[in-house]
């Protein structure tokens, strides 16, 4: 049943829920009305019963005083009451639907009067209950009052109007409840259709976007209004971010293909030139060294491309000593350029949780970027613990870069100009050094901060959480 309900359209489900809510509301209101009306009618009947009893009880008490010539009454302690006497007592009250019966102490009926015979199912010895009201056959309310000499006055009021009211109420409910359900189902279907009209428009627009491929097409109804407008706005923004990501990916692939094509073409030309004619051993060795350099560049480029494409879920989490990684980067930088002035400053061991390979590559990229960018400058690598994590700062006192260039540094394959192709962008001129460092920082929940100005050097700060 639940699976069948789930297969219904959203419009049908909304209409069904509206009908169910309406039916429940009608049932609750009907129960409340039934309880109220039934209680009101019963109170009215009880009030009428009390009124009749109050009107006749005193008079009947007077009839029960034995007279001087009533020997039987004097012996029994109760006067004999005739039918006529009880009728005279009851003449002063409204007797429509009211029956009176007077019972002696011995359980003998003295007299009865009413619109009909007293209810047959009521015994003569009936006594008053805790509340005073009894129902003998479901059609009467009976009140029993004790009189002098242990006599009993039984008063019965016709209560069939209560049961008739109940039956009429049930009949009305049997008709009204299905009608209310059908009406609410119809209204729910119409209202749900109007409410879901923007959803259908949004669905068609999203399908058009998927089929056309233009992720920047504005979606209908997008805005800060109701929930559907905010949903359309969220989808539109998500599509725009996907479009930006697709553009970046396409640019990345084009740049990667371009940078891979150049060393491959040079490598192919060099191999073909070497094999074109016979050469001496020294020339072969020189050509092989140049081929080895091209292969190293290709290997470095491929390695960084793989690191940039690394799945965040595959990042290892283990204690990493940043000071050791920084010291290794400084040593390698000095080997790369023996004349480079590279210093390491640290207050003590600093450990963070992360991927040792990625963090080591990021620190090495920042260090070698500074050495290549400012060959005559002093490079300082600083490792320090900060509140909530650690910071690795690589600073040089070289020429620096302007604000426009600084804003784009860190983008994959971005190189400011040809003269600095192998310098400011890092990693052999591919433009991946700072991009990789920034990507590593993001994978570890940190950030890469770049600061520079013309003539004020260059600072790259890698912030990592503990």
């Amino acid at each position: 049943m639940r699976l069948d309900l789930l297969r219904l359209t959203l419009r049908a489900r909304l209409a069904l829920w509206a009908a169910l809510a309406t039916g429940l509301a009608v049932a609750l209101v009907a129960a409340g009305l039934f309880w109220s009306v039934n209680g009101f009618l019963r109170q009215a009947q009880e009030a009428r019963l009390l009124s009749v009893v109050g009107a006749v009880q005193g008079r009947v008490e007077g009839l029960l005083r034995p007279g001087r010539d009533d020997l039987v009454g004097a012996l029994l302690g109760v006067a004999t009451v005739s039918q006529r006497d009880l009728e005279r007592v009851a003449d002063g009250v409204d007797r429509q639907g009211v029956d009176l019966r007077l019972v002696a102490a011995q359980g003998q009926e003295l007299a009865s009067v009413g619109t009909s015979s007293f209810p047959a199912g009521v015994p003569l010895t009936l006594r008053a209950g805790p509340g005073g009201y009894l129902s003998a056959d479901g059609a009467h309310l009976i009140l029993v009052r004790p009189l002098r000499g242990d006599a009993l006055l039984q008063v019965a009021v016709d209560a069939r109007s209560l049961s008739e009211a109940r039956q009429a109420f049930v009949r009305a409910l049997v008709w009204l409840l299905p009608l209310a359900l059908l009406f609410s189902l119809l209204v729910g279907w119409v209202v749900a259709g109007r409410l879901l009209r923007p959803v259908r428009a949004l669905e068609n627009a999203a399908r058009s976007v998927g089929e056309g491929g233009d992720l920047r097409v504005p979606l209908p109804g997008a805005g800060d209004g109701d929930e559907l407008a905010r949903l359309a706005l969220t989808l539109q923004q998500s599509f725009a971010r996907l479009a930006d990501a697709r553009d970046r990916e396409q640019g990345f692939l084009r740049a990667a293909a371009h940078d891979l094509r150049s060393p491959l073409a040079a490598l192919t030309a060099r191999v073909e030139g070497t094999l074109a004619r016979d050469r001496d051993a020294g020339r072969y060795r020189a050509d092989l060294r140049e081929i080895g350099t091209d292969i190293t560049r290709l290997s470095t480029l491929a390695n960084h491309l793989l690191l940039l494409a690394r799945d965040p879920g595959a990042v290892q989490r283990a204690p990493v000593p940043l000071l050791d990684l920084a010291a290794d980067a400084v040593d390698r930088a000095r080997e790369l350029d023996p004349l480079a002035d590279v210093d390491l400053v640290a207050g003590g061991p600093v450990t963070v949780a992360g991927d040792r390979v990625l963090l080591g590559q990021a620190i090495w990229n920042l260090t070698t970027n500074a050495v290549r960018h400012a060959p005559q400058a002093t490079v300082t690598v600083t490792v320090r613990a900060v509140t909530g994590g650690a910071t690795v700062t690589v600073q040089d006192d070289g020429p620096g870069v302007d604000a426009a260039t600084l804003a784009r540094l860190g983008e994959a394959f971005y190189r400011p100009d040809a003269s600095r192709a192998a310098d400011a962008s890092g990693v052999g001129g591919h433009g991946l050094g700072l991009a990789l460092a920034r990507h590593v920082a993001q994978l570890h929940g940190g950030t890469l901060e770049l600061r520079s100005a013309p003539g004020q050097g260059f600072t790259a700060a890698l912030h990592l959480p503990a």
Side-chain angles (χ1 to χ4, degrees):
M1 179 65 182
R2 178 156 181 91
L3 292 178
D4 294 338
L5 182 62
L6 292 177
R7 292 193 187 98
L8 296 176
T9 63
L10 182 58
R11 183 179 184 181
R13 279 181 280 171
L14 288 175
L16 287 176
W17 281 114
L20 180 61
T22 301
L24 182 60
V26 170
L28 290 176
V29 172
L33 288 176
F34 179 80
W35 181 80
S36 300
V37 172
N38 185 68
F40 174 78
L41 293 176
R42 184 178 177 86
Q43 289 178 0
Q45 295 287 359
E46 291 176 354
R48 185 186 180 197
L49 183 59
L50 290 173
S51 175
V52 172
V53 171
V56 303
Q57 183 175 358
R59 299 179 186 179
V60 175
E61 287 275 4
L63 292 176
L64 292 178
R65 295 187 182 91
R68 295 179 179 177
D69 55 350
D70 188 357
L71 181 59
V72 175
L75 293 176
L76 296 176
V78 176
T80 57
V81 179
S82 66
Q83 186 75 20
R84 184 179 298 275
D85 292 337
L86 190 58
E87 290 179 356
R88 283 199 304 269
V89 168
D91 283 341
V93 298
D94 180 15
R95 291 163 46 191
Q96 184 65 33
V98 179
D99 298 318
L100 304 178
R101 185 167 68 178
L102 188 61
V103 180
Q106 293 80 11
Q108 178 184 4
E109 179 179 335
L110 298 179
S112 64
V113 63
T115 57
S116 61
S117 60
F118 203 83
V122 181
L124 295 175
T125 58
L126 179 65
R127 300 286 177 176
Y133 302 100
L134 302 174
S135 178
D137 53 6
H140 296 82
L141 287 178
I142 302 172
L143 181 62
V144 180
R145 284 290 176 86
L147 302 176
R148 46 187 299 127
D150 292 334
L152 297 175
L153 175 63
Q154 297 177 351
V155 182
V157 174
D158 188 0
R160 284 176 293 182
S161 59
L162 293 176
S163 59
E164 292 173 355
R166 296 191 193 100
Q167 295 173 1
F169 193 87
V170 171
R171 287 194 299 269
L173 186 61
V174 168
W175 282 99
L176 288 178
L177 186 58
L179 291 177
L181 290 176
L182 291 176
F183 179 75
S184 62
L185 188 62
L186 177 62
V187 172
W189 180 264
V190 175
V191 172
R194 294 182 62 86
L195 290 177
L196 294 176
R197 189 176 301 167
V199 176
R200 288 193 295 271
L202 185 60
E203 177 188 359
N204 295 331
R207 184 183 298 110
S208 300
V209 169
E211 294 174 352
D214 187 1
L215 297 177
R216 291 188 172 88
V217 174
L219 295 181
D224 297 327
D226 56 10
E227 291 81 357
L228 290 178
R230 292 195 295 272
L231 174 61
L233 180 60
T234 301
L235 289 176
Q236 180 174 296
Q237 293 172 348
S238 300
F239 288 161
R241 286 192 291 269
L242 289 175
D244 294 339
R246 184 182 61 183
D247 293 343
R248 288 194 301 269
E249 180 181 356
Q250 291 176 351
F252 180 86
L253 293 175
R254 285 193 296 267
H258 177 271
D259 276 41
L260 285 171
R261 186 185 303 116
S262 298
L264 284 174
L267 181 60
T268 302
R270 203 176 305 279
V271 171
E272 291 176 351
T274 302
L275 297 177
R277 61 181 182 275
D278 294 335
R279 302 186 182 191
D280 56 27
R283 186 59 184 270
Y284 277 124
R285 282 194 295 269
D287 290 343
L288 288 175
R289 279 195 295 269
E290 293 178 357
I291 292 174
T293 301
D294 291 338
I295 293 176
T296 300
R297 290 187 62 202
L298 282 173
S299 176
T300 302
L301 176 60
N303 180 54
H304 282 82
L305 289 175
L306 290 175
L307 289 177
L308 282 174
R310 193 163 183 176
D311 184 7
V315 176
Q316 298 180 2
R317 297 290 177 179
V320 178
L322 293 181
L323 184 56
D324 294 348
L325 299 182
D328 180 66
V330 170
D331 293 339
R332 292 171 60 191
R334 289 170 179 170
E335 294 174 358
L336 183 67
D337 186 358
L339 299 178
D341 185 7
V342 186
D343 299 321
L344 175 62
V345 178
V350 179
T351 302
V352 297
D355 191 302
R356 186 185 185 96
V357 174
L358 290 179
L359 291 175
Q361 188 66 49
I363 297 174
W364 161 245
N365 286 355
L366 297 179
T367 305
T368 190
N369 179 75
V371 172
R372 287 171 173 164
H373 171 56
Q376 305 298 326
T378 299
V379 179
T380 304
V381 181
T382 305
V383 180
R384 70 179 186 274
V386 296
T387 302
T391 299
V392 179
T393 304
V394 180
Q395 183 177 9
D396 65 69
D397 54 2
V401 296
D402 56 32
T405 302
L406 182 66
R408 296 199 61 187
L409 287 178
E411 296 180 8
F413 296 102
Y414 170 70
R415 289 172 288 192
D417 51 56
S419 63
R420 299 167 62 175
D423 296 331
S425 58
V427 190
H430 296 297
L432 293 178
L434 295 178
L436 177 59
R438 174 161 291 169
H439 186 61
V440 170
Q442 294 173 351
L443 289 178
H444 288 79
T447 57
L448 177 65
E449 180 185 3
L450 303 179
R451 300 189 299 270
S452 183
Q456 298 183 14
F458 189 88
T459 300
L462 180 63
H463 303 288
L464 300 170

